[in-house]
Amino acid sequence: MTNTLKLICAALLAACVFTGCEKADTPENTLDGKVVRISDGDTVTIETDNGTRVKIRLNGIDAPESGQEFGQESRAKIAELIDGEDVSVKTHSHDRYNRVLGEIFLDGRNINLTMVQEGCAWHYVKYSPNDKELAKAQQQAKEAKKGLWANPNAVPPWEYRKKK
């Protein structure tokens, strides 16, 4: 092995160690817990078996803000789906607020995807540009005028936040 190749391998290994990049389906990247708080349509808190509370930001979606049109309905939908339930979270990383970014599953059902399918959240293309499943779910919800899509002038949360 050449010295250059050895250096590249060492750099990649170091990057994985310092950024925590493991395979997405390893147990280290899964959190299990009970949903104990719903902040809004894309942020919840779970409590793990050892009593640790972890704030989860649903990866790949963006729900209307609480003060925004359809914000309360979005929050109510996620509460209806998972409040008080034991869920599994496939973790991806952390956001700038140190929340865990992840996909929440209840009995095998992807709650992130469900929120988009029900018209309760947008596919957050900026942070998940290659997620074809979320893109398709949004298009179908939009065509069916489900949830927030009943308003043809619905304002995406990222634009709403920018104006605030």
Side-chain angles (χ1 to χ4, degrees):
M1 188 182 288
T2 68
N3 284 339
T4 303
L5 188 55
K6 286 179 186 176
L7 285 173
I8 291 170
C9 288
L12 288 172
L13 178 61
C16 282
V17 168
F18 290 113
T19 61
C21 65
E22 301 95 9
K23 283 187 168 184
D25 59 355
T26 60
E28 297 85 32
N29 284 18
T30 302
L31 282 173
D32 294 317
K34 182 176 191 155
V35 177
V36 294
R37 185 170 191 279
I38 305 289
S39 299
D40 57 29
D42 58 29
T43 308
V44 304
T45 301
I46 66 168
E47 187 172 310
T48 64
D49 287 342
N50 68 7
T52 303
R53 288 188 174 218
V54 182
K55 192 173 254 192
I56 310 294
R57 172 66 166 80
L58 279 71
N59 190 63
I61 73 169
D62 200 6
E65 297 293 322
S66 297
Q68 184 179 359
E69 182 180 357
F70 210 78
Q72 293 306 311
E73 292 86 346
S74 177
R75 184 185 184 285
K77 176 50 102 175
I78 199 165
E80 173 191 318
L81 292 168
I82 62 172
D83 194 20
E85 297 288 345
D86 290 317
V87 298
S88 183
V89 181
K90 181 179 173 185
T91 65
H92 293 273
S93 60
H94 288 81
D95 68 6
R96 63 182 174 185
Y97 304 108
N98 205 32
R99 298 175 296 190
V100 171
L101 292 171
E103 291 172 87
I104 297 180
F105 292 88
L106 175 63
D107 299 327
R109 182 180 187 190
N110 183 326
I111 300 304
N112 304 39
L113 179 62
T114 299
M115 289 296 287
V116 175
Q117 289 170 330
E118 295 294 322
C120 294
W122 272 261
H123 169 209
Y124 209 170
V125 177
K126 179 179 178 180
Y127 294 106
S128 62
N130 300 318
D131 195 320
K132 293 179 184 359
E133 196 171 25
L134 285 176
K136 181 179 177 184
Q138 178 171 300
Q139 187 58 41
Q140 289 173 339
K142 194 173 185 177
E143 288 170 2
K145 296 181 176 29
K146 288 181 99 174
L148 63 89
W149 299 110
N151 176 355
N153 300 312
V155 176
W158 54 89
E159 289 180 14
Y160 177 84
R161 288 189 295 267
K162 195 185 301 183
K163 291 178 184 176
K164 286 258 164 197

